[in-house]
Amino acid sequence: ILGFSTPPGRLSMMAFILNALTCALGLLYFIRRGKQCLDFTVTVHFFHLLGCWIYNSHFPSTLTWWLVQIVCTALMAAIGEYLCMRIELREIPLNSAPKSNV
């Protein structure tokens, strides 16, 4: 069903792209470490590959499916790592003023 020539194919590819974006937000809230984003992204997509393999009873062999998965993996890892790095690199507030007014 994946393909550029039919509207259902384009809709399916857009769903994969939007899923990668929402999963990048999931990396931000659940992982919170930039170094681990690629590991978790590849793990999620590996389990997706296994699920597709079991569901269809044969290994995915279409070029468009593999291209969409590679693009979604790269997009999810890059955006997730960018968001996590923004959180990690925030300034740590240091208050040097005394806490009591004596």
Side-chain angles (χ1 to χ4, degrees), residues 24 27-28 31-43 73 76-85 88:
L27 290 174
L28 172 66
I31 307 305
R32 296 184 186 249
R33 296 281 311 203
K35 290 182 177 183
Q36 295 176 343
C37 285
L38 181 62
D39 297 335
F40 280 92
T41 300
V42 171
T43 302
T73 301
M76 182 177 161
I79 292 174
E81 188 170 341
Y82 171 75
L83 293 173
C84 289
M85 292 302 282
E88 287 178 0

Side-chain angles (χ1 to χ4, degrees), residues 4-101:
F4 293 109
S5 59
T6 63
R10 288 191 293 267
L11 185 64
S12 295
M13 283 195 270
M14 290 295 290
F16 275 111
I17 299 293
L18 289 174
N19 184 36
L21 297 176
T22 56
C23 285
L25 288 174
L27 290 174
L28 172 66
Y29 290 110
F30 294 113
I31 307 305
R32 296 184 186 249
R33 296 281 311 203
K35 290 182 177 183
Q36 295 176 343
C37 285
L38 181 62
D39 297 335
F40 280 92
T41 300
V42 171
T43 302
V44 165
H45 280 85
F46 177 73
F47 285 134
H48 179 256
L49 170 68
L50 289 179
C52 289
W53 192 357
I54 292 168
Y55 181 77
N56 293 323
S57 301
H58 64 82
F59 193 75
S61 61
T62 59
L63 180 63
T64 55
W65 188 88
W66 284 102
L67 290 175
V68 168
Q69 296 308 312
I70 289 169
V71 167
C72 288
T73 301
L75 190 64
M76 182 177 161
I79 292 174
E81 188 170 341
Y82 171 75
L83 293 173
C84 289
M85 292 302 282
R86 285 187 61 202
I87 299 296
E88 287 178 0
L89 295 176
R90 277 191 200 161
E91 285 187 24
I92 298 172
L94 298 175
N95 241 349
S96 60
K99 296 211 179 233
S100 63
N101 294 335

